[in-house]
Amino acid sequence: MSYNVAILMSTYNGMDYLREQIESIRSQTYKQWNLYIRDDGSSDNTIDLIKTFVHQDTRIHFINADKQVNRGVKRSFLNLLSSVKADFYMFCDQDDYWLPNKVKLTLDAMISDYHNKPRLVFTNMNLVDSNLKVLEKASLSAVNISYWTSKDQLMFDNIVTGCTVMINNQLKQYVFPISAKKIVMHDWYIAQLASQLGDIQYVTDPTILYRQHESNQVGVNKSLFGKVKKLTRFNDFQTGVILQISQGRLTQKKSQVVFSKTTQAFLNWNFTCPLILKVLPIIQNNFKKHTWPGTIALNLALLRRKKS
């Protein structure tokens, strides 16, 4: 049986890598896909390049060719997801490179033992530099996937990278309505919904070359320097934690799931209470992310009084 796969791409000043990315999609072994592109207000020649590909391949669609408005990465991807109908949906960054079997491997995992329940599939990936030189193969190999994709642990950290994700319609129906202002990122939000309402499947094979470069909207900080550098922007990090709790509350409201005592304590966190009243719950609950710098930063953010 053949399935219609919608690939959703948001672009913004993507000329450096966009041609290579689109060509990697056109080279997929699975052919029944459609690529839907929404441009987020590019000022370079991205729009002209998209239109060139649209004329070359009837499977490529420019959904806002007449008017490009900057909405930000979260709203752009959510707009794409809400505008398109297909059997399954994949998220796609403008600057990566898809290995030829990416769609096929992900789809096989999606339809395996399929029970028409909300499902998300994500895959391993190779981290590469701007020239596609491999920096780290199979970057998730050392991560305890089943633990960090459980409904409780996904409240604290996200290892589900959006550009490796496929979702079904049963999961899509729970995504909306949603305000992008109330979530950290669309991939984390959708992964939380999948863990609470259905299941998450993982493909151990890398299916993507995930570029790490200065212009990344979202990247992976694998180096100690990269992790520590985040701590220098601590106000932004704490704002992200506050948004993380907001996002978790939203998904819980949609799913009505019951969390562990530790997770519920996190979602009920009061940033304005005195420091002395925060220390014991921090010790008792052992809040953590999947890296030790992240764990330290998370707990410091919880201890710190919320900035007005």
Side-chain angles (χ1 to χ4, degrees):
M1 184 175 180
S2 189
Y3 298 92
N4 182 19
V5 176
I7 302 170
L8 311 178
M9 176 191 285
S10 178
T11 60
Y12 180 75
N13 291 342
M15 280 299 294
D16 288 346
Y17 310 112
L18 181 59
R19 181 183 298 276
E20 196 170 27
Q21 169 66 307
I22 293 178
E23 290 293 1
S24 77
I25 294 170
R26 296 180 74 191
S27 299
Q28 290 296 300
T29 58
Y30 185 86
K31 302 299 183 182
Q32 194 165 334
W33 53 261
N34 282 273
L35 172 61
Y36 298 90
I37 304 174
R38 181 191 177 277
D39 186 78
D40 206 31
S42 293
S43 58
D44 63 1
N45 293 322
T46 295
I47 292 168
D48 292 335
L49 181 58
I50 296 170
K51 290 179 177 179
T52 297
F53 275 109
V54 168
H55 286 114
Q56 291 178 357
D57 196 324
T58 58
R59 297 172 296 177
I60 300 176
H61 315 273
F62 191 4
I63 73 165
N64 65 329
D66 295 332
K67 185 178 182 180
Q68 295 80 43
V69 178
N70 185 270
R71 298 182 181 275
V73 63
K74 292 183 289 186
R75 289 182 65 188
S76 190
F77 273 111
L78 289 170
N79 182 263
L80 278 161
L81 183 59
S82 67
S83 301
V84 172
K85 291 185 178 180
D87 295 317
F88 305 107
Y89 308 86
M90 303 181 78
F91 299 108
C92 178
D93 291 346
Q94 67 183 4
D95 51 1
D96 299 321
Y97 187 92
W98 286 21
L99 298 176
N101 59 354
K102 182 181 194 305
V103 176
K104 178 65 165 58
L105 284 177
T106 313
L107 180 61
D108 286 347
M110 173 62 76
I111 63 178
S112 175
D113 193 28
Y114 194 58
H115 298 293
N116 291 318
K117 62 183 178 181
R119 173 170 284 184
L120 178 151
V121 178
F122 75 111
T123 79
N124 213 331
M125 55 191 176
N126 293 334
L127 301 187
V128 298
D129 66 12
S130 58
N131 297 313
L132 299 183
K133 179 181 178 181
V134 175
L135 303 173
E136 183 178 5
K137 291 184 178 181
S139 65
L140 293 177
S141 296
V143 178
N144 185 337
I145 299 296
S146 61
Y147 179 78
W148 286 106
T149 56
S150 68
K151 69 179 189 298
D152 284 288
Q153 295 313 128
L154 266 169
M155 289 293 108
F156 296 96
D157 210 350
N158 182 40
I159 62 165
V160 179
T161 305
C163 57
T164 71
V165 162
M166 175 184 282
I167 68 170
N168 63 2
N169 278 302
Q170 288 79 4
L171 180 55
K172 177 185 173 181
Q173 69 179 340
Y174 288 100
V175 173
F176 303 101
I178 187 60
S179 168
K181 295 179 180 179
K182 295 183 179 180
I183 62 173
V184 180
M185 193 56 67
H186 60 284
D187 53 2
W188 193 352
Y189 164 68
I190 294 171
Q192 287 179 340
L193 289 174
S195 69
Q196 295 169 37
L197 292 160
D199 66 21
I200 295 177
Q201 299 293 319
Y202 173 63
V203 177
T204 58
D205 295 333
T207 65
I208 186 172
L209 304 182
Y210 188 40
R211 269 196 176 100
Q212 303 296 291
H213 56 88
E214 291 183 357
S215 300
N216 278 69
Q217 287 287 306
V218 179
V220 176
N221 284 309
K222 298 297 288 189
S223 68
L224 177 61
F225 174 77
K227 294 180 173 72
V228 173
K229 187 177 179 182
K230 279 190 172 183
L231 299 181
T232 67
R233 303 190 298 269
F234 197 74
N235 284 341
D236 293 341
F237 183 85
Q238 187 186 44
T239 300
V241 173
I242 294 168
L243 200 57
Q244 178 181 338
I245 291 173
S246 168
Q247 175 179 281
R249 290 170 178 169
L250 281 171
T251 59
Q252 185 181 33
K253 185 176 181 179
K254 284 176 179 277
S255 70
Q256 296 297 303
V257 73
V258 176
F259 286 117
S260 69
K261 288 179 63 176
T262 293
T263 303
Q264 200 60 56
F266 177 67
L267 294 179
N268 294 339
W269 196 258
N270 181 0
F271 283 90
T272 61
C273 76
L275 176 63
I276 191 66
L277 298 181
K278 296 179 179 180
V279 174
L280 184 58
I282 290 281
I283 296 171
Q284 289 176 329
N285 287 291
N286 190 28
F287 301 131
K288 61 182 178 180
K289 287 180 170 286
H290 82 283
T291 64
W292 66 261
T295 296
I296 292 171
L298 173 64
N299 285 282
L300 288 175
L302 295 174
L303 286 170
R304 188 185 190 209
R305 190 172 183 87
K306 180 181 176 182
K307 294 293 183 181
S308 58

